[in-house]
Amino acid sequence: MTTFKTAGFTLVELMMAATLTTLVLGGAFVSLSVVLQAYKLHGSKSNSADMANLIFERMRMDLASTFLSPHNAVTRFVGTDLMAEELPSDTLTFISTVNNPIETGEGSSDLTEIQYYIDMDEATPERWLLRRYDPTPDMDPFSGGTIALLGPKVCMLDFQYFDGDMWWPTWDSVQEIPICVNVTIGVFEPQNIWETPTPENVEQFSTTIWIATYREPPEDSLGPMGGTSALEEEMAEGGN
């Protein structure tokens, strides 16, 4: 009688093979998760930077055409320094010119009211950056017009105004406009649904916008900022 021996795996060998397979698959899964998380984080930062550039470009176009006249009561350039939940939430309201005059009930106008602010309406949970556009300037520059979303996920807005000598957190003068404006926005990309925006987890972007239409105010100006005369006097004294 012939006896045949059948080759096979013992139970111990099968358990060892299953354990090694589990370890290999687990390591691969962890590595893949790390790669995907890094890719998602990098993509989020890239998207935030692109959005910030678009916002700054829109603001630069608006502010480059800033118009302010001491002889026109409806022109304003008003910056308010505000805080909301530990984050700057400033507002900026000003008059800008447009290329094509707009026909209104009182004739044509090439002036428009523009306002930037963070939406603080409790009816809308998102605190996003808005832009208000009103082609009919009036004595109340803080209302009216059309409101559009300028920056989704932008929950921080900070303006600083340069008068040629100092930076100011606010600006409230009908006699002159600043030489330039520094703008800082903060984008909040929560990693978890329970996260809330704080100064630590908000990604910030900043730029300085020079106002090309700046001009020296009249000598009898009551504006509080001093214009470029203070800077010119300082430079003259330094030269002596």
Side-chain angles (χ1 to χ4, degrees), residues 177-191:
I177 57 179
I179 296 177
C180 61
V181 179
N182 182 266
V183 188
T184 302
I185 63 174
V187 181
F188 178 56
E189 292 278 2
Q191 301 300 314

Side-chain angles (χ1 to χ4, degrees), residues 219-239:
E219 295 182 359
D220 59 348
S221 169
L222 299 178
M225 304 306 173
T228 57
S229 58
L231 179 61
E232 293 172 351
E233 293 175 3
E234 181 179 352
M235 295 175 61
E237 292 176 1

Side-chain angles (χ1 to χ4, degrees), residues 14-141:
L14 289 174
M15 292 180 64
M16 291 180 62
T19 302
L20 290 175
T21 302
T22 302
L23 291 175
V24 171
L25 292 177
F29 179 76
V30 171
S31 300
L32 181 61
S33 298
V34 172
V35 171
L36 290 176
Q37 186 175 5
Y39 176 79
K40 181 179 179 181
L41 181 61
H42 176 74
S44 175
K45 289 185 176 180
S46 177
N47 292 337
S48 298
D50 291 340
M51 180 177 63
N53 289 332
L54 291 174
I55 292 172
F56 291 150
E57 184 61 26
R58 175 72 267 178
M59 289 183 171
R60 186 173 289 108
M61 293 174 61
D62 291 340
L63 287 167
S65 301
T66 300
F67 177 82
L68 190 65
S69 171
H71 310 294
N72 190 334
V74 302
T75 59
R76 296 285 191 278
F77 193 100
V78 179
T80 305
D81 188 29
L82 300 174
M83 294 288 293
E85 300 177 0
E86 300 182 348
L87 293 174
S89 300
D90 295 355
T91 64
L92 174 58
T93 307
F94 59 98
I95 301 295
S96 183
T97 61
V98 294
N99 293 329
N100 298 320
I102 299 173
E103 292 294 334
T104 65
E106 300 179 356
S108 62
S109 173
D110 60 353
L111 302 181
T112 182
E113 295 173 0
I114 295 177
Q115 185 178 48
Y116 306 127
Y117 64 98
I118 298 292
D119 180 17
M120 303 301 295
D121 188 353
E122 296 181 356
T124 54
E126 297 85 2
R127 295 180 60 242
W128 290 351
L129 175 60
L130 302 180
R131 175 181 182 265
R132 185 177 62 83
Y133 180 92
D134 186 357
T136 58
D138 51 35
M139 295 301 294
D140 179 13

Side-chain angles (χ1 to χ4, degrees), residues 192-214:
N192 302 290
I193 59 174
W194 58 82
E195 273 191 297
T196 58
T198 65
E200 290 74 26
N201 61 15
V202 169
E203 189 176 6
Q204 299 186 22
F205 302 90
S206 182
T207 190
T208 298
I209 300 175
W210 293 84
I211 300 178
T213 57
Y214 175 84

